[in-house]
Amino acid sequence: MSAPVPGTPEERHRERMQRKKALVDRKVARATIDRGVLVVNTGNGKGKSSSGFGMLARSLGHGMRCGVVQFIKGTFSTGEEAFFRRAGGDLLDYRVMGEGFTWETQDQARDIAAAAAAWREAARMLSDASYAFVLLDELNIALVKRYVAVEDVLAALAARPAHQHVVVTGRAAPDALLEAADTATEMRLIKHAFQAGVMAQKGIEL
Amino acid sequence: MSAPVPGTPEERHRERMQRKKALVDRKVARATIDRGVLVVNTGNGKGKSSSGFGMLARSLGHGMRCGVVQFIKGTFSTGEEAFFRRAGGDLLDYRVMGEGFTWETQDQARDIAAAAAAWREAARMLSDASYAFVLLDELNIALVKRYVAVEDVLAALAARPAHQHVVVTGRAAPDALLEAADTATEMRLIKHAFQAGVMAQKGIEL
């Protein structure tokens, strides 16, 4: 292949991309800190938990030992549990602790006890350096309802092993948790199929 | 266990949750449409692709046949590819078509050819009812750069099998694609560890 002629569209594209690459490379070179990160997915849109499970897949793909605690287990999210239990093998410690949405149990004492038990499992993982990745799915719900104290969560996160990654999901993340986060995303609802009368779909919600 | 005494906090909680359950149940009862949905994840925050891969895990968990086309393949996202190739088995058709970020190749003709080849794979999956779930990862990048025509994508999506779910990810989704979506989320950046000098982490970005 002959070299592009200067001044052609191809050459101008190449020059723009060379400048962009230099910029990206400089930014990447400046990111030199190597440690575990706290990721928080919040907001009222879709994708908070599914993004956490996507990162779980990445972590398992690298052979990292992973822990999952699901704080709320309703009729939802059966697909990923089946898949990860089968595919994760010995690398994965998967705990489903919540007994359902609060309007399903209608029993606050039981919900509080379930949240406390889930938090004990989570705290155990956060204090164990053998877990390289910990997903605390729907923890924010338990924090919003004050079934788990945000101070306890912040203390456990601050004291965790330096290279352990943690992902916390759920609507209405407390401000203090967002401040502690390294990476935080608001999953903002643009629209949801449910609003148009489409029932929850296997592979998407279930 | 004795019945809660009316008027106690426990009983008031139960009554509130009963009203909430009635409301939720009515909403669920109104969602009677059962069909494939188009999910679009856009915005400048984290979680667009990882959420797509989380839904892939859900779909595989239900034994659904799945297709993945990655339109941009840089140095990123090696973890999920390793995991899903191993765990997906015969259910999964995983195609990595992009040859890198455009500032890495610096060759627009090659980028356009790669995007066209990726779109041919995607169009094949969208016309094949044996795929129950199709993830078009970073398709939006190819649309923004006009390497793939949005009209072609909309036509293929409209003509796809009625029960096929499709997830499209990437920044700057075209308005026409958002209009066609059943579920759309803007992953809004609150902050990213990279901004604070933390390098891309295995299990999180890689």
Side-chain angles (χ1 to χ4, degrees):
Chain A
M1 202 174 83
S2 60
V5 179
T8 64
E10 293 76 16
E11 176 63 4
R12 288 198 302 274
H13 174 84
R14 198 173 69 82
E15 287 174 356
R16 270 201 316 277
M17 290 302 111
Q18 281 179 334
R19 286 195 296 273
K20 180 152 187 178
K21 178 170 166 54
L23 185 72
V24 171
D25 287 351
R26 276 199 301 278
K27 281 189 189 175
V28 169
R30 275 201 298 269
T32 55
I33 304 167
D34 186 13
R35 63 167 170 77
V37 291
L38 172 61
V39 177
V40 177
N41 294 342
T42 193
N44 61 352
K46 182 166 173 56
K48 300 180 288 294
S49 292
S50 52
S51 166
F53 284 101
M55 287 183 262
L56 174 64
R58 277 183 194 151
S59 297
L60 292 169
H62 288 293
M64 294 157 62
R65 189 178 181 215
C66 298
V68 175
V69 180
Q70 289 195 287
F71 279 75
I72 301 282
K73 177 68 179 183
T75 52
F76 275 21
S77 304
T78 52
E80 72 247 7
E81 186 182 342
F83 179 71
F84 283 112
R85 281 197 189 280
R86 194 172 60 229
D90 292 343
L91 287 174
L92 180 60
D93 183 3
Y94 196 115
R95 311 274 167 151
V96 182
M97 305 300 292
E99 298 190 34
F101 282 95
T102 52
W103 60 85
E104 291 293 346
T105 68
Q106 300 178 16
D107 182 337
Q108 194 167 30
R110 197 172 110 184
D111 291 348
I112 291 170
W119 173 244
R120 281 194 297 274
E121 285 298 320
R124 178 184 62 78
M125 292 177 183
L126 296 177
S127 67
D128 183 344
S130 75
Y131 292 93
F133 175 95
V134 177
L135 170 59
L136 304 179
D137 188 45
E138 300 290 11
L139 170 59
N140 288 338
I141 308 289
L143 292 173
V144 169
K145 292 182 175 292
R146 300 181 189 279
Y147 294 170
V148 174
V150 70
E151 296 76 17
D152 293 350
V153 172
L154 293 174
L157 287 168
R160 79 186 194 278
H163 281 271
Q164 186 181 74
H165 301 307
V166 180
V167 179
V168 176
T169 77
R171 291 181 183 218
D175 288 344
L177 184 66
L178 290 173
E179 278 168 34
D182 298 292
T183 296
T185 310
E186 178 199 352
M187 274 67 177
R188 192 178 70 79
L189 176 81
I190 299 173
K191 59 179 157 179
H192 197 292
F194 185 66
Q195 296 167 324
V198 179
M199 60 177 62
Q201 293 291 317
K202 278 186 185 178
I204 302 296
E205 284 87 19
L206 305 181
Chain B
M1 202 173 83
S2 59
V5 180
T8 64
E10 293 75 19
E11 175 63 2
R12 289 198 301 275
H13 173 85
R14 198 172 68 84
E15 287 174 355
R16 270 201 316 278
M17 291 303 111
Q18 281 179 333
R19 287 194 297 272
K20 179 151 188 181
K21 178 170 167 53
L23 186 72
V24 171
D25 287 350
R26 276 199 303 276
K27 281 190 188 173
V28 170
R30 276 201 298 269
T32 54
I33 304 167
D34 186 14
R35 62 167 170 77
V37 292
L38 171 61
V39 178
V40 177
N41 293 342
T42 192
N44 61 353
K46 180 165 175 57
K48 299 180 288 295
S49 291
S50 52
S51 167
F53 284 100
M55 286 183 264
L56 174 64
R58 276 184 195 150
S59 297
L60 291 169
H62 287 294
M64 294 157 62
R65 189 179 181 214
C66 298
V68 175
V69 180
Q70 287 195 285
F71 279 75
I72 301 282
K73 177 67 181 183
T75 53
F76 275 19
S77 304
T78 53
E80 73 245 8
E81 187 182 342
F83 179 71
F84 283 112
R85 280 198 189 279
R86 194 172 61 229
D90 292 343
L91 287 174
L92 180 59
D93 183 3
Y94 195 116
R95 311 272 167 154
V96 181
M97 305 300 292
E99 296 191 37
F101 283 94
T102 52
W103 59 86
E104 291 292 346
T105 68
Q106 300 178 17
D107 182 339
Q108 195 167 30
R110 198 172 108 183
D111 291 347
I112 291 171
W119 173 244
R120 280 194 297 275
E121 284 297 320
R124 178 183 63 77
M125 292 176 182
L126 295 178
S127 67
D128 182 343
S130 76
Y131 292 93
F133 175 96
V134 177
L135 171 58
L136 304 179
D137 187 45
E138 301 290 10
L139 169 59
N140 288 337
I141 309 290
L143 293 173
V144 169
K145 292 183 176 291
R146 300 179 190 279
Y147 294 170
V148 174
V150 69
E151 296 75 16
D152 293 350
V153 172
L154 293 174
L157 287 169
R160 79 186 193 278
H163 281 271
Q164 186 183 73
H165 301 307
V166 180
V167 179
V168 176
T169 78
R171 291 181 184 218
D175 288 343
L177 184 66
L178 289 173
E179 278 168 37
D182 298 292
T183 295
T185 309
E186 178 199 352
M187 273 67 176
R188 191 178 70 77
L189 177 80
I190 299 174
K191 58 179 158 179
H192 197 291
F194 185 66
Q195 296 167 325
V198 179
M199 59 178 62
Q201 294 291 317
K202 279 186 185 177
I204 303 295
E205 283 86 21
L206 306 180

